[in-house]
Amino acid sequence: MKKDLIISRLIVESFFEKLNKALEVDVAIAGCGPSALALSLELSEKGYKVAIFEAKNEPGGGIWGGGMMFNELVLERELKGYVEELGINCKEFGEFLVVDSVHFASALLYHTTKAGTLVFNNVFVEDLVMYDKRVSGVVINWMPTIRERLHVDPISVIAKFTVDGTGHPANLVRLLSKRGILVSVSGSTENLCSCGTVEYEFPMDAENGEKFVVEGTREIYPGLYVMGMAAVSVGGGPRMGPIFGGMILSGLKAAELIEESLRREAVKIDKEMKI
C-alpha cells in the first residue's frame, strides 16, 4: 500500500474517531482562549469529557500577541503556584509575573490536550441546541464555510453544560438575546444595547477589570455559562488589556461551578435509578 494512502487514512480515521467522541460531552466550550484552557484542564484532569470549538486556526485566543505584539504578558503574583505547577517559566516583578506569551499558550494547550480535552480548530459555533428551555449543546460548522457563506448545514453537539468563551463578541449570549430569550444579562437595563446585551465592554481599567471578569463568571441561562472577556462584555465591565490572571481565574471559577452542577446531576440520576 502506498504511503500517501496510509497517511490519508490515518488522518481521516483518527479525526472522525475524535469527532465522534465529541458529539456528546459533559462540557462544550465555544472559543479556545485562556479561560477555556484553564477550565478544560481542570475538568479534564478530573475525568470529565470536554470539547472546545475554536473558529481560528490557532487555539489560544488573545494570549499569543502579548501586548501590541510584544509577546510577553502579565499575571498577578497569586498565580505563581499555578504556573509553577504547569512547569511554566516566569519572572517576578513585585506583585506581578511576566511570562512569554508563546510559552504560556503552548503550555496550557499541551496540558489540557494531554489531560484529554478535545480541541477542534477552524470550527465555528453558529447556534445553540436547546431542549425544554435549557441550553443543551452547540451547533457547529467549518469556519471557512461560514466565511464563504456556503449553504451547508451544520451538525449538533450535545452537552450537559455549554460555555461562552468567545471573548469580546460573546457570540453565544447574543444568539439568545437576539431572539429575545435572554433580555437582560447584567440584571438591569443600564448600558444595554437594543438586543439586550452590552454592546461592548467599557474602557481600559486593568485593576477593576481583573476583578470584574471573575465576578461575572456565572451561569446566565440554564445550561449556559459565560467566562473570560465574554463575561466582561455581557456584564459591562472594563477591559484589562494584556494581563491574564483574571482570565485564568475566570476559567477556574467556571470549572468549579460546572463541576458542582455535574455532581448534583450525577446524584440526582443515581437517586432516580435506585427508585
Side-chain angles (χ1 to χ4, degrees):
M1 188 181 296
K2 298 294 184 183
K3 283 188 177 180
D4 302 277
L5 179 57
I6 295 172
I7 292 166
S8 295
R9 278 185 173 165
L10 288 172
I11 290 171
V12 171
E13 289 172 3
S14 295
F15 180 81
F16 278 100
E17 180 183 357
K18 181 168 64 177
L19 180 60
N20 190 47
K21 288 180 182 177
L23 293 179
E24 187 175 8
V25 295
D26 293 311
V27 183
I29 307 171
C32 192
S35 296
L37 293 170
L39 186 163
S40 61
L41 173 57
E42 193 76 8
L43 292 185
S44 290
E45 284 186 330
K46 294 178 179 178
Y48 295 105
K49 187 189 284 190
V50 183
I52 304 176
F53 302 96
E54 168 57 52
K56 294 182 179 179
N57 190 45
E58 306 84 10
I63 300 176
W64 298 101
M68 210 180 78
M69 291 193 290
F70 301 164
N71 61 347
E72 301 281 335
L73 53 84
V74 174
L75 301 166
E76 288 83 354
R77 197 176 187 279
E78 66 181 284
L79 283 166
K80 184 182 178 183
Y82 182 81
V83 299
E84 287 182 341
E85 185 179 340
L86 298 181
I88 297 171
N89 300 325
C90 64
K91 295 174 286 186
E92 293 184 50
F93 294 90
E95 62 181 300
F96 299 112
L97 307 174
V98 177
V99 183
D100 180 286
S101 65
V102 175
H103 174 55
F104 188 60
S106 301
L108 290 173
L109 284 163
Y110 169 77
H111 282 289
T112 195
T113 51
K114 188 174 187 294
T117 301
L118 304 171
V119 178
F120 297 87
N121 53 335
N122 296 305
V123 175
F124 183 72
V125 175
E126 68 169 55
D127 210 342
L128 296 164
V129 177
M130 184 176 287
Y131 303 133
D132 301 321
K133 296 182 179 180
R134 185 185 188 280
V135 173
S136 303
V138 294
V139 180
I140 60 172
N141 213 329
W142 296 116
M143 188 60 202
T145 299
I146 302 298
R147 188 182 298 117
E148 296 299 322
R149 299 183 179 181
L150 302 178
H151 187 69
V152 177
D153 283 327
I155 62 172
S156 299
V157 171
I158 305 304
K160 293 175 183 174
F161 292 96
T162 301
V163 185
D164 190 336
T166 61
H168 301 275
N171 289 331
L172 304 195
V173 175
R174 292 181 188 280
L175 286 169
L176 294 181
S177 65
K178 73 179 183 180
R179 292 172 164 120
I181 297 171
L182 190 63
V183 177
S184 172
V185 178
S186 65
S188 71
T189 57
E190 185 180 1
N191 300 321
L192 296 179
C193 68
S194 58
C195 65
T197 63
V198 174
E199 186 66 30
Y200 202 66
E201 68 271 2
F202 283 11
M204 187 83 79
D205 179 351
E207 183 174 353
N208 288 309
E210 285 289 270
K211 297 174 184 176
F212 189 96
V213 66
V214 180
E215 292 170 358
T217 299
R218 63 197 190 280
E219 186 176 29
I220 59 169
Y221 189 83
L224 178 64
Y225 281 79
V226 64
M227 66 180 180
M229 282 310 302
V232 175
S233 288
V234 301
R239 64 187 303 178
M240 66 289 287
I243 182 167
F244 284 78
M247 296 292 111
I248 298 301
L249 292 173
S250 174
L252 295 177
K253 179 181 177 180
E256 182 181 351
L257 294 173
I258 291 171
E259 183 182 12
E260 185 179 330
S261 296
L262 286 167
R263 285 177 175 173
R264 284 200 304 267
E265 184 176 288
V267 170
K268 181 182 176 182
I269 292 172
D270 185 55
K271 286 182 178 178
E272 289 175 350
M273 290 179 68
K274 290 178 178 179
I275 296 175

